[in-house]
Amino acid sequence: MTARTPDHPIENLFVDRWSPRAFDRSTIEEADLKTILEAARWSPSAFNIQPWRFVYARRGDADWQVLVDLLNPFNRDWAQHASALVYLFSDSEVDGKDGKPNRANGLHTFDAGSAWAHAALQATALGFHAHGMAGILKEEIHEKLGVPERYLPQIAIAIGRRGDTADLPETLQERETPSSRKPLAEIAFAGAWA
């Protein structure tokens, strides 16, 4: 595994978090998964609306294969070996009050991203890895999982412990290492866009 070094001092949790594809096919205790989701629950959101929702299954659960089958084939090939799969949804509407109709929530995807980040960091703190995937069958998810239309599928998250990289196809083995990041000077500008 490649060592990652931040440009400025930060908690190790941030550089230790990365998204492997090789999982060891072990189970995860429900308490650990609930702790990961609890961390996501405490994410910040605009007006404290908390638009995120989760549908999950642990390896061995009756609904496990349903969630596996909602991944695109590329992700299904490796993510089926994770310990848990979690689908993250965001509420595209804000409930109306005092007889007013619902209105669009323009920040629901941003807020859902915050929940994903909290979950990923909590997974890392517990010794797991979390890999977010946009490659999901969005057209089928509402029907298969009974999700109301106003809740939009954002990503699926594979959670588990690292497995043997040799179990991955050769093309993925080469990519099974923590990625680097752009330098801070390339993404953060004082006063105006540089």
Side-chain angles (χ1 to χ4, degrees), residues 71-186:
L71 299 170
N72 72 15
F74 173 80
N75 287 328
R76 190 179 308 137
D77 285 347
W78 59 265
Q80 66 181 320
H81 304 300
S83 303
L85 287 174
V86 178
Y87 282 76
L88 170 59
F89 298 86
S90 60
D91 190 352
S92 63
E93 297 180 16
V94 177
D95 290 331
K97 293 183 180 178
D98 301 322
K100 293 181 181 174
N102 291 0
R103 60 183 169 82
N105 180 355
L107 293 172
H108 66 99
T109 57
F110 178 81
D111 290 342
S114 175
W116 145 244
H118 276 62
L121 291 170
Q122 183 62 61
T124 301
L126 293 175
F128 294 98
H129 288 280
H131 190 126
M133 301 167 278
I136 56 180
L137 305 183
K138 290 186 177 185
E139 313 77 40
E140 300 176 29
I141 286 174
H142 285 94
E143 178 187 342
K144 298 274 185 179
L145 301 182
V147 178
E149 288 297 321
R150 69 186 263 182
Y151 291 91
L152 304 182
Q154 298 299 323
I155 61 170
I157 306 163
I159 301 171
R161 298 205 188 273
R162 288 267 334 267
D164 188 347
T165 301
D167 291 340
L168 293 172
E170 196 170 311
T171 55
L172 291 181
Q173 289 178 25
E174 299 164 4
R175 297 167 53 185
E176 190 70 356
T177 185
S179 57
S180 61
R181 293 294 182 268
K182 294 177 182 178
L184 188 61
E186 192 175 321

Side-chain angles (χ1 to χ4, degrees), residues 12-27:
N12 289 339
L13 186 64
F14 295 100
V15 291
D16 291 345
R17 187 223 58 81
W18 67 287
S19 301
R21 288 186 177 89
F23 289 103
D24 70 358
R25 299 172 173 87
S26 64
T27 57

